[in-house]
């Protein structure tokens, strides 16, 4: 019986993860003309170059999966780098922070929405925390940008703008109370267990049920279970 239940949840997870969505081929984003290597930008932007080299975007090994070599350089996120390098004062690229959230997401989505590149780890822009549409938080509507949680330069491996749970608490303010009451250990360790139950980038209902139906909830919510009993 136990084996049958285990097989059921495994199949449910596989079915739930087998999804696809519309995305543009990576070749479509190949910049026109010659793109200067990041080392050219280093002379004027040493701090930005240094932080970039320390995270995944600056890792030659990780970026080797991107078939368009120009998108392994600063041009992947910052437009017109060749013109800017030729005339720094006259050709200043638009600041990413000044772009709309949809424009910011389009920059990240060049690679991260692409299922050919990231397979099951690709981001579906229409899932939970949908990045192209409004989502509701605490009774309000707002649009999220990838850069609300992630940084293109800081954060090293996960490239987060701050501690995981503190990112969640920014919108899910009620979680600070429930976490402190029902999950004090997780709360005191900055809520690093949030992702044990919640898929940050969303997922299908099948995948979510597979995630939530394994009994892992009881590990953290033991206080609530004791009260019910």
């Amino acid at each position: 019986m136990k084996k049958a239940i285990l097989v059921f949840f495994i199949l449910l997870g596989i079915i739930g993860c087998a999804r696809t969505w519309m995305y543009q081929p990576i070749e479509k984003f190949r910049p026109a003309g010659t793109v200067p290597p990041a080392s050219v930008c280093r002379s004027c932007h040493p701090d930005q170059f240094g932080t970039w080299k320390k995270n995944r975007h600056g890792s030659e090994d990780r970026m080797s999966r991107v078939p368009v070599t120009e998108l392994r350089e600063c041009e992947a996120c910052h437009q017109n780098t060749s013109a800017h390098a030729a005339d720094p004062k006259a050709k200043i690229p638009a600041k990413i922070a000044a772009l709309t959230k949809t424009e910011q997401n389009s920059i990240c989505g060049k690679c991260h929405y692409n299922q050919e590149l990231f397979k099951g780890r690709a981001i579906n822009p229409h899932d939970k925390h949908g990045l192209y549409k409004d989502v509701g938080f605490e009774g309000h509507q707002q649009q999220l940008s990838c850069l609300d949680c992630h940084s293109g330069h800081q954060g090293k491996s996960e490239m987060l703008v701050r501690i995981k749970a503190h990112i969640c608490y920014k919108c899910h303010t009620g979680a600070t109370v429930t976490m402190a009451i029902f999950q004090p250990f997780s709360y005191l360790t900055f809520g690093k267990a949030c992702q044990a139950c919640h898929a940050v980038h969303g997922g299908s209902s099948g995948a979510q049920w597979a995630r939530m139906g394994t009994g892992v909830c009881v590990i953290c919510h033991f206080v609530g279970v004791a009260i019910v009993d």
Side-chain angles (χ1 to χ4, degrees):
M1 183 62 181
K2 291 182 179 180
K3 291 183 178 180
I5 295 174
L6 179 61
V7 170
F8 170 76
F9 281 115
I10 291 175
L11 291 175
L12 191 63
I14 294 174
I15 294 172
C17 291
R19 311 175 68 212
T20 187
W21 50 87
M22 295 295 294
Y23 60 88
Q24 299 294 328
I26 193 68
E27 288 290 340
K28 181 178 179 179
F29 302 109
R30 182 185 296 275
T34 303
V35 171
S39 57
V40 172
C41 307
R42 182 179 186 176
S43 59
C44 295
H45 306 282
D47 293 338
Q48 290 83 349
F49 179 87
T51 54
W52 171 76
K53 286 297 292 183
K54 292 179 181 179
N55 66 38
R56 295 184 178 188
H57 284 168
S59 168
E60 294 183 7
D61 180 55
R62 289 183 177 275
M63 293 301 290
S64 64
R65 73 173 66 184
V66 179
V68 179
T69 56
E70 292 88 345
L71 296 181
R72 302 176 193 172
E73 307 295 341
C74 301
E75 183 75 20
C77 301
H78 302 280
Q79 297 181 348
N80 303 319
T81 55
S82 57
H84 178 59
D87 190 352
K89 293 184 179 180
K91 304 292 183 180
I92 302 176
K95 291 185 178 181
I96 294 180
L99 300 177
T100 67
K101 291 183 182 293
T102 296
E103 289 171 335
Q104 292 176 3
N105 294 335
S106 295
I107 292 174
C108 303
K110 293 177 184 178
C111 297
H112 289 282
Y113 296 159
N114 194 309
Q115 290 184 304
E116 293 182 31
L117 293 181
F118 285 93
K119 309 299 181 184
R121 298 188 66 184
I123 305 301
N124 183 348
H126 306 295
D127 264 338
K128 185 70 173 178
H129 294 164
L131 304 180
Y132 274 135
K133 60 183 180 180
D134 287 345
V135 289
F137 287 126
E138 306 298 330
H140 300 285
Q141 293 290 317
Q142 67 181 76
Q143 185 184 16
L144 284 178
S145 163
C146 303
L147 300 180
D148 287 334
C149 301
H150 297 279
S151 168
H153 286 268
Q154 304 292 344
K156 295 184 179 180
S157 62
E158 295 184 307
M159 302 173 71
L160 297 174
V161 296
R162 60 181 66 86
I163 296 170
K164 289 181 180 179
H166 289 188
I167 295 175
C168 305
Y169 295 158
K170 182 178 179 181
C171 296
H172 300 282
T173 55
T176 57
V177 177
T178 57
M179 287 281 286
I181 296 175
F182 294 106
Q183 301 179 40
F185 176 77
S186 182
Y187 179 81
L188 293 174
T189 55
F190 307 113
K192 293 183 179 180
C194 291
Q195 294 183 42
C197 298
H198 302 286
V200 175
H201 292 128
S204 68
S205 56
Q208 194 71 4
W209 274 107
R211 191 185 187 97
M212 299 291 287
T214 57
V216 70
C217 308
V218 180
I219 296 175
C220 293
H221 292 279
F222 60 94
V223 175
V225 172
I227 293 175
V228 173
D229 291 343

